[in-house]
Amino acid sequence: MCGIIGYIGKRQSTPILIEGLKRLEYRGYDSAGIAVFHNGEIEIRRCKGKLRDLESLIKEEDLSGSVGIGHTRWATHGKPSEENAHPHKAGGVVVVHNGIIENYLDLKVMLMKEGHTFKSETDTEVISHLIERFIEKEDEIESAVRKALKELRGSYALAIIYEKEPGKLIAARKESPLIIGLGEEEFFLASDIPAILSHTRRVVFLGDNEIAVFSDKKMKIVSQDEKEVIREPKDIQWNPVMAEKGGYKHFMLKEIFEQPRSITDTIRGRIFQSEGKIFLDELNIPQKDLSKIKRIMMIACGTSFYASLVGKFLFEEFCRIPVEVDLGSEFRYRDPIIGKDNLSIFISQSGETADTLAALKEAKGKGSRVLSICNVLESSIARESDGTLYTHAGPEIGVASTKAFTTQLAALYILALYMAVETSKMNPQKVRNILEELIKIPHMVAEILNQEEKIERIAKKYFKSQNFLFLGRGINYPIALEGALKLKEISYIHAEGYPAGEMKHGPIALIDNEMPVVVLVSEGITYEKVLSNVEEVKARRGAVIAIANTSHKDIEKRVDDIFLIPRTLPLLNPILFTIPLQLFAYHIAVLRGTDVDQPRNLAKSVTVE
Ligand code: AGP
């Protein structure tokens, strides 16, 4: 986690750093700090708490200077405190860091023996001391940084300045994201794109084990083996307003309401409905290889894992290929059996989730072809993959994943259909029918969003409850899991997702008049069975909130509250069922007064194990 920012150029760096940190705050927000060259010295200001606390701290101060670095922290090593906040300084070396240095304790012991004194509990401080150690021998920051990096095990994105070389800024990365923004004789560093979008759209993605040095209005990128790297900048299409709240009270609400657009963007340009064709050249898989795939592995974390569970239904139904789904954090520790005829699909909004990335490397190492579904261009997972299907959700700032999830689902429909078409597993008329319904989904999502008030009313009735159950069946079971996760994350209410059929095997014991149960009721083969589950809850005085795609009297008379969603093909239901659950969690969180966009203890992108 953590967000880092840097600036070198002709403008005042402090406002640029603070503005960038505001956009990065979703990555961590337990402390923040900046370091600025001011009158030939490096001034560091940092404090525990949110960015606004740092802003108050520096409000009255003159921190003028055109070179600076900044950081917003999500604690891994050491509690949130001023001492543990970045930047960290040793000698004249000042560092901000995102990632984890795995061998920091060994290095710390070695450095302490040599006389270095540590002021924080962080792994990061080791980096500044290590560079200082080499500087004592080298007298030059660039080669000292290079030598220090060779000693580090783990992941890092770093921005470094050095008191004795005031016109220089150094950046380095390994397995943690870092981008370089190019301006007019000025350079920006940031953990992600929205942090610098108001200044430039021209971006260079720093590669793993590369170091970038900025001085004399120039940039030089060198690889670990000291070869100069020439990398073409990319033009980013996102505009800064896309990363702002756009009039909504929270990013999460804005992102929920963006879904008709984001789902359309993810589908658009990739399907030719009347022909039943799907275009996915970006996958880089020749047709002959697709037919050889005997098994699909799908791996992800959190909400993206629930998208994978939906994906299993789609690939098995459309392509008749067996699918196994696993969590990134479990996959690599169980010596998974993977063959060359396996396709491994990794799903990640950020493309930086450490467990998913590590699992990807594991699968790749075992010879599997690797595809990813990502939202962030050129993210680590995308770059490690043989092919990436980008979701076009745009930047997702709210910690709770909303539009990222539904665009992942949209991407999975397209991918599963594409494979079915390419391997002739599905009748072309059926493909056309599904595509015809798929392109209607964004309108149906908009229809649901127009009824936000109904959901808000239901939320008002239940927001004081301390526990919730979410029940779904078949392809909607992962949506019950997602509904429960959303509620947990942002309202801190205990919620469990269950396959409805499992209720009588345990969770039914929890039901009483204080346990509302959200039931996803879908037409289809399990409809009657889910209605029986509703009866079972009612018989135990539990309140039932039904999200249903049929207004049949059977349901209305049995449940306490009902929200109707439009009808579509049963396999396309997951996106539609998700929307009311997002709104439900959102309104409950607002009513409980929690920090919706930055819920406690969470960070947007989990870049550590
Ligand atoms: C979702 O609301 C969560 N914040 C979280 O579970 C998230 O989906 C998970 O950390 C995976 O992130 P990724 O999609 O960026 O890999």
Side-chain angles (χ1 to χ4, degrees), residues 424-486:
S424 310
K425 291 278 175 52
M426 204 189 255
N427 152 338
Q429 186 53 45
K430 195 168 171 197
V431 176
R432 283 197 289 276
N433 292 347
I434 297 174
L435 289 178
E436 191 181 343
E437 280 302 300
L438 185 60
I439 54 182
K440 290 184 200 155
I441 292 289
H443 304 285
M444 295 180 177
V445 170
E447 253 179 71
I448 297 173
L449 291 171
N450 285 338
Q451 301 175 62
E452 186 198 1
E453 270 177 27
K454 279 192 199 161
I455 294 284
E456 195 177 352
R457 271 205 299 278
I458 302 176
K460 277 187 181 142
K461 206 166 145 187
Y462 295 99
F463 79 96
K464 290 194 178 141
S465 303
Q466 290 308 322
N467 298 285
F468 275 84
L469 264 189
F470 286 72
L471 303 179
R473 281 205 80 144
I475 196 165
N476 299 314
Y477 158 53
I479 307 307
L481 294 172
E482 171 62 4
L485 180 66
K486 285 291 87 90

Side-chain angles (χ1 to χ4, degrees), residues 178-249:
L178 192 59
I179 57 152
I180 301 164
L182 311 181
E184 285 294 316
E185 298 184 348
E186 60 182 356
F187 298 95
F188 306 83
L189 287 176
S191 298
D192 73 15
I193 296 165
I196 56 165
L197 265 188
S198 58
H199 304 292
T200 181
R201 293 204 191 164
R202 301 202 74 212
V203 162
V204 169
F205 295 90
L206 193 64
D208 259 353
N209 298 309
E210 288 175 355
I211 301 175
V213 182
F214 308 90
S215 65
D216 301 325
K217 301 175 188 165
K218 288 194 198 85
M219 165 178 83
K220 185 177 79 181
I221 300 180
V222 280
S223 62
Q224 199 170 33
D225 50 7
E226 296 181 36
K227 295 216 173 75
E228 186 157 355
V229 177
I230 308 293
R231 180 147 316 126
E232 278 302 303
K234 298 218 166 158
D235 284 320
I236 301 300
Q237 298 307 324
W238 295 356
N239 75 47
V241 182
M242 283 171 84
E244 295 295 339
K245 281 189 203 156
Y248 288 93
K249 193 168 168 200

Side-chain angles (χ1 to χ4, degrees), residues 301-304 348-350 353 399-401 408 485-486 489 606:
C301 298
T303 288
S304 301
S348 174
Q349 184 285 130
S350 60
T353 300
V399 164
S401 179
Q408 287 168 350
L485 180 66
K486 285 291 87 90
E489 280 188 297
V606 186

Side-chain angles (χ1 to χ4, degrees), residues 240-299:
V241 182
M242 283 171 84
E244 295 295 339
K245 281 189 203 156
Y248 288 93
K249 193 168 168 200
H250 296 101
F251 280 113
M252 182 180 176
L253 189 62
K254 171 182 170 258
E255 287 156 7
I256 290 173
F257 273 82
E258 278 174 353
Q259 291 175 107
R261 195 269 311 147
S262 58
I263 297 167
T264 306
D265 286 354
T266 301
I267 306 172
R268 191 168 50 194
R270 287 171 164 157
I271 61 177
F272 193 177
Q273 189 267 327
S274 57
E275 297 282 309
K277 286 217 169 101
I278 296 141
F279 303 97
L280 288 181
D281 293 346
E282 60 265 56
L283 299 185
N284 299 323
I285 310 186
Q287 195 185 24
K288 63 173 177 31
D289 290 1
L290 279 176
S291 320
K292 290 184 196 147
I293 295 167
K294 294 282 176 292
R295 185 173 70 138
I296 295 176
M297 309 281 307
M298 300 188 70
I299 296 130

Side-chain angles (χ1 to χ4, degrees), residues 300-306 347-354 356-357 373 375-376 381 396 398-402 404-405 408 482 485-486 489-490 599 602-606:
C301 298
T303 288
S304 301
F305 172 71
Y306 300 150
I347 305 185
S348 174
Q349 184 285 130
S350 60
E352 301 294 345
T353 300
T356 310
L357 181 59
I373 296 178
N375 189 39
V376 178
I381 289 173
E396 191 178 67
V399 164
S401 179
T402 52
F405 179 62
Q408 287 168 350
E482 171 62 4
L485 180 66
K486 285 291 87 90
E489 280 188 297
I490 60 169
L602 291 174
K604 181 69 184 161
S605 174
V606 186

Side-chain angles (χ1 to χ4, degrees), residues 33 47 75 114 125 147 216 249 266 308 350 371 392 488 501:
C47 64
E114 289 182 7
E125 199 186 346
K147 289 203 169 123
D216 301 325
K249 193 168 168 200
T266 301
S308 311
S350 60
L371 285 187
H392 295 309
K488 277 187 259 218

Side-chain angles (χ1 to χ4, degrees), residues 291-339:
S291 320
K292 290 184 196 147
I293 295 167
K294 294 282 176 292
R295 185 173 70 138
I296 295 176
M297 309 281 307
M298 300 188 70
I299 296 130
C301 298
T303 288
S304 301
F305 172 71
Y306 300 150
S308 311
L309 291 175
V310 173
K312 175 180 168 71
F313 281 86
L314 304 180
F315 288 108
E316 292 189 343
E317 170 82 17
F318 297 166
C319 313
R320 307 307 296 158
I321 299 177
V323 179
E324 204 180 309
V325 183
D326 208 344
L327 290 159
S329 51
E330 292 295 323
F331 179 77
R332 66 176 160 144
Y333 293 112
R334 66 173 172 88
D335 195 13
I337 301 164
I338 304 170

